[in-house]
Amino acid sequence: MKILVTAKRVEDAESKIRVNPQGTGIVPEGLKYKINPFDEIAVEEGLRLVAKHGGEVVVVSIGGKEVQEQLRHALAMGAHKAVWVNHAGALDQLAIAALLAKVVEAEKPDLAILGKQSIDDDQNQVGQYLAEFLGWGQATFASKVESLESDAEKGKHPGVMLSADGKAVVVVREVDNGLATVECQMPAVVTTDLRLNLPRYASLPGIMKAKSKPIQELTPAGLGVDVTPKVVIQKMVPPPARKAGIKVPDVATLVDKLKNEAKVV
Amino acid sequence: MSSSLPEPVLRALREGFPPDFLTQEPGELAEYGRDWTRVYAPAPSGVVFPRSTEEVARLLALCHAHHVAVVPSGGRTGLAAGAVAAKGELVLSLRRMTRMEPVDVLGQTVRVQAGAITEAVHQHCAPLGLTWPVDFASKGSSTVGGNIATNAGGVKVIRYGLTRQWVLGLQVVTADGQVLELNGALEKNNTGLDLRQLFVGSEGTLGVITEATLKLTRLPGSLDVLLLAVPDVAGVLRVFREARQTSLTLSAYEFFTDACLARVERHRRFRQPFEARSGCYVLMEVEGAAPDVLEGFLASLFERGLVTDGTLAQSPSQASELWAYRESISESLSATGLPHKNDIALPIACLEAFCGELSRVFTERYPGWEICLFGHIGDGNLHVNVMKPEDMAKEDFFAHTKAADHTMFELVRRYRGSISAEHGIGLLKRDYLSYSRAPAELALLRALKTTLDPHHILNPGKVLD
């Protein structure tokens, strides 16, 4: 089978992220990047599925030439080939989904696995739009039945399963009051939640091999997609700074303040 | 020395200092009477919290006059019981003295009070692209004063050396309450004996460090973090030998055995990093490496079978994850069992021969016991942790390890090593000091102690008996 996965480049939360003084975006200096953690889970799940059923994993990223770092990371984890949609400017979720739909049409995968959202703008829209554009079924928020410390997880068993006839995908998804199991005819779109798997580290031989794996370059124009954003960020505002705490001399004062000032007890 | 404070001292403490200066509350006494060692029961007579050097000076003058024993106290993260007060001493905590002055960007220095937390100093300097390169797992709790008083080591010694190299000036209060300003912010000062260095590593026995001018350096550029699986300690040393022969700048070369990893996985619930378990793991950090040089090095390690598996962090958060395996060891050993800790150093050239003999000591003295070996092997520093067998009483365990330590330290002496690489001597290693220091040296140390602290009020019983 063929599985398409995404690897969005996002800011690493270990970097200090600050809104610029103009409020038009974040300060890029000193930032470090990584694969969106939900996408990294998607890559891992794709690799586990092809390890079990055979096939290949194609990883896609959209952005300037720097996104090749994230593609190489996914290739080092074990993805077989990479597609890079070269576009430097801002994109909204509709444009991203439209670009991915074109890549899917060209690659013809059986499954597209995406992170349920990216940790930079936390939109949680692309997977759903993509399914709509393709007319495919969707199973969002794929999660796992057992704990991530279970033997099945240690044995790298996939959490996303194929049905007995191999024509449908069975997904356990996290819902508000528990877990629901859904089945979708393939091809289908699956989006991953945090508890689906623990992504592997890129092995050293994998890192070496990734150097010679192909990265195919595409452009929005070549794909025939108009990426003019319909949604534009007007302004960014940092959250208000937290007020300094105070010290109270004793428990009685604390209780008094909780009662009469904070009014929480 | 009596185990409670003499009446005139108690009166002077109450009348001559702010009302919150002294506490004798049992919970505080238990807390401030101990460090990260769990061997001695804490029993201080009181804890004082000065806010200024002036208060420290008046306090010490008072204690000097009345022969009251004082234990200087920082973050109490020590592993040799140097900050333990188990005999009715007065604990002098510097936790209220945390002021940090603005960084001198031109001189690359910063003046801080002794109670400043190590990590707070890092955060203070980082926005200017500078750092104080004293770094270890306990940096979130340890203090600058404690780091200096113990000449702390840590994970970056291979790159930056010990704390000693990063202290320009010290303000020290002597046992009788005099305030010494030693060297200030001078990079060069060739005016006779460097008294400042006398107090670095003195473990609170010669004076109380109240302020320091720290030498800073540029924050490192790109750092590559690797975790490698190697079969055994000999393999760890072979990879080290290879790394030393390249142009790579190592900023850390750490190792740990699978026993350590298993306890980290259990306590921190970390996943197993590689599919197959391995005898040993190397955590290596490389500074500013050209990608092709680093990759060429790694490829050659693989081709020759020197490493069996490994990973190179792909992002800063992955680098932190890999570091966490190494940095969680100490806490995981203590949380999942009772370790008997040793911290030994060997000349790097002797490590291989020493480790070979060490495993014979283990087989003889600890047949079948769990031994967790890790450390800064790039500095010749091994942390030897013997875990208490489940069914053995604590007293029997310590009696056994005490006897076995003599066998190990005899071996350390034979290889001209040190019985305490970076943890210091404190109470824990005091009786073994003669394995690393000759009688003439010990006599000189005693003479210095008596000159600086004639009544032996400063951290009595630590380092020297």
Side-chain angles (χ1 to χ4, degrees), chain A residues 2-10 34-36 38-40 42-43 56-64 67-75 79-87 91 95-109 111-115 126 130 214-220 223:
Chain A
K2 188 172 188 177
I3 300 175
L4 185 128
V5 297
T6 49
K8 184 177 180 182
R9 177 181 170 93
V10 298
K34 63 175 182 179
I35 297 183
N36 171 38
F38 292 101
D39 284 341
E40 201 179 342
V43 175
E56 64 168 349
V57 172
V58 180
V59 56
V60 190
S61 193
I62 306 170
V67 303
Q68 291 184 56
E69 287 172 27
Q70 280 62 47
L71 290 173
R72 292 275 175 221
H73 177 185
L75 292 172
H80 301 80
K81 68 171 227 182
V83 174
W84 165 37
V85 182
N86 185 352
H87 176 77
L91 289 172
I96 295 168
L99 289 170
L100 290 176
K102 290 292 178 190
V103 175
V104 166
E105 280 169 21
E107 291 290 330
K108 300 188 176 51
L111 267 181
I113 310 181
L114 293 73
V126 172
L130 177 63
I215 295 183
Q216 182 191 359
E217 183 182 344
L218 301 171
T219 59
L223 290 167

Side-chain angles (χ1 to χ4, degrees), chain A residues 12 14 32-34 40 69 72-73 76 149 154 156 198-205 207-208 211 247, chain B residues 226 228 269 271 273 275 295 298-299 302 307 309-312 314-318 320-322 325:
Chain A
D12 192 317
E14 301 253 320
K32 300 275 172 56
Y33 295 84
K34 63 175 182 179
E40 201 179 342
E69 287 172 27
R72 292 275 175 221
H73 177 185
E149 287 154 32
K154 283 178 188 154
K156 299 204 188 301
L198 288 169
R200 70 195 64 192
Y201 291 118
S203 73
L204 291 180
I207 292 168
M208 310 293 172
K211 298 195 142 326
K247 282 187 180 169
Chain B
L226 297 118
L228 308 172
R269 298 182 167 268
R271 68 177 135 158
E275 288 207 37
E295 279 157 17
L298 295 173
F302 255 95
V307 301
D309 205 345
T311 186
L312 169 65
Q314 298 292 305
S315 63
S317 30
Q318 253 188 21
S320 302
E321 275 174 51
L322 297 185
Y325 285 107

Side-chain angles (χ1 to χ4, degrees), chain A residues 57-231:
Chain A
V57 172
V58 180
V59 56
V60 190
S61 193
I62 306 170
K65 66 176 188 311
E66 61 283 354
V67 303
Q68 291 184 56
E69 287 172 27
Q70 280 62 47
L71 290 173
R72 292 275 175 221
H73 177 185
L75 292 172
M77 287 172 74
H80 301 80
K81 68 171 227 182
V83 174
W84 165 37
V85 182
N86 185 352
H87 176 77
L91 289 172
D92 63 14
Q93 282 61 43
L94 277 167
I96 295 168
L99 289 170
L100 290 176
K102 290 292 178 190
V103 175
V104 166
E105 280 169 21
E107 291 290 330
K108 300 188 176 51
D110 304 285
L111 267 181
I113 310 181
L114 293 73
K116 70 166 184 180
Q117 66 196 67
S118 58
I119 60 161
D120 49 2
D121 49 20
D122 273 339
Q123 294 284 330
N124 183 358
Q125 298 183 38
V126 172
Q128 294 87 331
Y129 286 149
L130 177 63
E132 177 64 21
F133 287 161
L134 295 169
W136 291 7
Q138 55 176 295
T140 51
F141 315 148
S143 189
K144 204 160 209 160
V145 182
E146 46 356 285
S147 133
L148 288 181
E149 287 154 32
S150 69
D151 290 339
E153 177 58 24
K154 283 178 188 154
K156 299 204 188 301
H157 292 296
V160 172
M161 317 278 254
L162 298 193
S163 61
D165 62 4
K167 290 187 174 157
V169 60
V170 181
V171 174
V172 173
R173 57 195 303 268
E174 223 166 273
V175 292
D176 280 347
N177 49 2
L179 297 171
T181 305
V182 296
E183 193 173 309
C184 246
Q185 289 305 304
M186 292 204 290
V189 172
V190 174
T191 73
T192 57
D193 214 327
L194 211 52
R195 282 175 36 79
L196 181 60
N197 63 47
L198 288 169
R200 70 195 64 192
Y201 291 118
S203 73
L204 291 180
I207 292 168
M208 310 293 172
K209 271 187 230 155
K211 298 195 142 326
S212 54
K213 289 181 181 173
I215 295 183
Q216 182 191 359
E217 183 182 344
L218 301 171
T219 59
L223 290 167
V225 178
D226 174 12
V227 293
T228 315
K230 297 176 181 64
V231 179

